[in-house]
Amino acid sequence: MKVKILEADFVLTCNETFEIIQKGAVAFEETIIEVGESEQLKAKYPNATHIFTPPHSVIMPGLINVHVHLEFSANATMLHYGDFIPWLQSVIKHRESLSQMATTELIAEKLQTMLRSGTTSLGAISSFGADLEACSQAPQRVVFFNEVLGSNPGTVDAMYGDFLGRYHQSKDEASSIFFPAIAIHSPYSTHPILAKKAIELAFSDHVNLSTHFMESQAERDWLDEGKGDFTQFLTAFNPYAKPMCSAEEFLTLFNSLPTLFTHSVHASAQEYATIAAQHGTLTHCPMSNRLLGVGALDLEAVSKHAINLTVGTDGLSSNISLSLWDELRAALMMHTNSPLEALSKTLLKAVTCNASKALNLPAGKLEKGLLSDIIVATLPQEVDSIEQLPAQLILHTHQTHLTFINGELVC
Ligand code: MCF
Ligand code: FE
């Protein structure tokens, strides 16, 4: 591959110091060769192919959406929003028909839309395996999380068998951009014995691990006291239903592997400390949290515990968009107590360097040696100061001007 030099008014490296280079450039092939000032790079690589960008353009790493349920992509208005248990009931009622409507073509179309909005990598939570074909053929880097759940001791073996079958099918598709992985649904839906077996498999196969954790007050009440809104819901399946483990016991199951914990809106300070000590990641899904009526994540608590923070869109089962820009705008509007400039920086890190760390992808930063997953976003006007750039980028970006994956122009 011939060396390319991409130049723009700003290079947002998303590196450790969140360095922003004005009149900057990136020299790259399949991996990044050098990041620096335009004039210097042009002199150093005189034979490179130059790619110019419009005024007010920003070069940055491709975005990484660590948590999306593509099998629910056919939903628009069918699921019940506003309250968690009614939503869950509506998922159970409609999941069969929704998953039939979510054809490979529909999912491929959603992946293309995600690409046009700058998402170059994603973590796909797969409940049934119906998204395998679209995900294994996607232009993006995909970490494919095969989900396991099951609480009835009489059926856990069959549930594990079904999960194993899907996991092995995804392993057959493994490639340099498609990575099989494992997801445990949640502490209220997955028997700890089942969870333990799947976690041991993730450990021995060195694959990524993800779970939903402490999303709603109902989940908190159920795990702590076996009470609350979950009681009626779960006793409909099993009249003797009891919490299968405490929240701390559930977290401890994951102590061997850095795990992505999604939502965690109702986690306690002690649980945040455990997640931090286990080098876990917290995935914030602000739109989903709003639509399912579970409240807003305490970002200050997450930052106090120095937990690796990422942002995901969740699926169209609890969102109206799979664009991370839309998601970041929602987060900016939701966390009204966080200063705008600092929050914007935190959010951009969450979908780049923090996300690549969580998924073990050598991308997510513009840094020598990392994969050339690079996007260009173009602002409509100049910014008042460089400190305003992260916020203005979040407020004004919908689609990218250019997108590269592995150094190849993909859109
Ligand atoms: O993250 C959201 C809300 N919390 C839990 N689960 C899901 C979400 N979006 C989709 N789901 C799926 C989940 O993967 O819904 C099902 C699971 O397959 C609920 S359990 C019947
Ligand atoms: Fe989810």
Side-chain angles (χ1 to χ4, degrees):
M1 197 185 274
K2 198 177 167 200
V3 177
K4 296 181 188 106
I5 292 189
L6 177 63
E7 31 178 319
D9 283 354
F10 302 99
V11 175
L12 196 81
T13 61
C14 298
N15 65 9
E16 299 313 324
T17 57
F18 204 76
E19 182 187 6
I20 302 177
I21 305 165
Q22 298 201 50
K23 300 279 171 218
V26 182
F28 64 99
E29 297 175 302
E30 208 174 311
T31 55
I32 295 170
I33 301 169
E34 202 169 333
V35 182
E37 282 167 16
S38 263
E39 292 310 315
Q40 279 178 355
L41 257 60
K42 280 196 283 195
K44 200 161 166 188
Y45 304 96
N47 298 323
T49 306
H50 284 260
I51 307 166
F52 300 97
T53 56
H56 322 305
S57 288
V58 183
I59 304 171
M60 64 180 291
L63 308 186
I64 306 172
N65 185 350
V66 300
H67 188 99
V68 53
H69 301 256
L70 290 164
E71 289 166 313
F72 291 89
S73 290
N75 178 60
T77 58
M78 280 162 70
L79 299 180
H80 184 110
Y81 288 164
D83 203 354
F84 187 72
I85 298 289
W87 172 82
L88 200 53
Q89 267 157 343
S90 73
V91 167
I92 289 169
K93 182 170 160 199
H94 295 293
R95 73 180 154 187
E96 194 93 6
S97 57
L98 281 175
S99 107
Q100 262 170 24
M101 283 151 71
T103 57
T104 296
E105 291 68 35
L106 182 83
I107 294 174
E109 201 185 294
K110 300 294 180 194
L111 284 161
Q112 267 303 324
T113 311
M114 289 170 80
L115 187 66
R116 283 197 296 275
S117 69
T119 299
T120 54
S121 295
L122 55 127
I125 311 294
S126 175
S127 305
F128 325 111
D131 47 352
L132 176 61
E133 193 179 340
C135 285
S136 63
Q137 289 168 11
Q140 287 105 330
R141 239 171 265 290
V142 178
V143 177
F144 192 76
F145 287 102
N146 296 278
E147 181 182 74
V148 65
L149 58 74
S151 53
N152 181 342
T155 58
V156 290
D157 284 346
M159 298 299 266
Y160 190 73
D162 175 77
F163 151 77
L164 258 193
R166 287 183 279 115
Y167 177 61
H168 285 128
Q169 269 183 330
S170 74
K171 275 177 88 169
D172 290 343
E173 304 299 327
S175 74
S176 62
I177 60 165
F178 182 81
F179 311 93
I182 293 175
I184 313 298
H185 179 249
S186 76
Y188 59 83
S189 62
T190 317
H191 198 285
I193 296 174
L194 189 56
K196 198 161 179 258
K197 271 170 84 165
I199 293 165
E200 277 167 7
L201 182 59
F203 183 80
S204 60
D205 279 4
H206 304 286
V207 302
N208 287 111
L209 193 56
S210 175
T211 187
H212 294 99
F213 179 70
M214 236 10 120
E215 181 175 8
S216 60
Q217 184 62 45
E219 182 173 344
R220 178 88 263 168
D221 295 343
W222 176 251
L223 290 194
D224 288 352
E225 304 178 74
K227 287 190 182 145
D229 292 352
F230 256 116
T231 315
Q232 206 194 349
F233 175 81
L234 292 169
T235 47
F237 296 98
N238 169 9
Y240 307 104
K242 272 210 292 261
M244 296 173 282
C245 61
S246 70
E248 273 294 341
E249 281 164 350
F250 184 76
L251 285 181
T252 309
L253 292 172
F254 298 85
N255 63 5
S256 60
L257 262 184
T259 301
L260 290 97
F261 294 93
T262 303
H263 305 307
S264 302
V265 177
H266 294 272
S268 66
Q270 181 54 51
E271 287 152 11
Y272 286 137
T274 304
I275 292 173
Q278 292 180 186
H279 305 289
T281 286
L282 196 156
T283 301
H284 182 28
C285 303
M287 282 287 272
S288 173
N289 294 162
R290 176 66 186 99
L291 295 183
L292 305 193
V294 300
L297 178 70
D298 182 353
L299 279 182
E300 228 172 274
V302 177
S303 129
K304 213 165 75 192
H305 287 95
I307 300 172
N308 188 46
L309 176 75
T310 57
V311 167
T313 58
D314 232 352
L316 291 175
S317 26
S318 55
N319 207 328
I320 50 167
S321 164
L322 299 179
S323 160
L324 277 174
W325 295 110
D326 287 339
E327 201 64 35
L328 299 190
R329 278 188 279 279
L332 268 193
M333 302 305 158
M334 191 159 162
H335 299 287
T336 49
N337 291 332
S338 303
L340 189 80
E341 288 181 356
L343 176 60
S344 301
K345 229 164 109 170
T346 299
L347 293 171
L348 288 177
K349 282 185 181 173
V351 295
T352 56
C353 54
N354 295 1
S356 62
K357 187 175 166 198
L359 295 180
N360 298 312
L361 298 173
K365 284 186 267 191
L366 298 180
E367 212 168 78
K368 186 182 169 178
L370 294 183
L371 293 166
S372 302
D373 292 0
I374 305 170
I375 60 173
V376 176
T378 304
L379 290 170
Q381 293 169 338
E382 64 187 274
V383 285
D384 182 54
S385 71
I386 201 160
E387 287 73 31
Q388 287 275 301
L389 188 68
Q392 299 296 357
L393 200 55
I394 293 175
L395 292 170
H396 290 281
T397 311
H398 297 271
Q399 299 200 343
T400 56
H401 174 67
L402 298 171
T403 304
F404 298 86
I405 293 180
N406 273 336
E408 299 280 1
L409 187 67
V410 289
C411 85

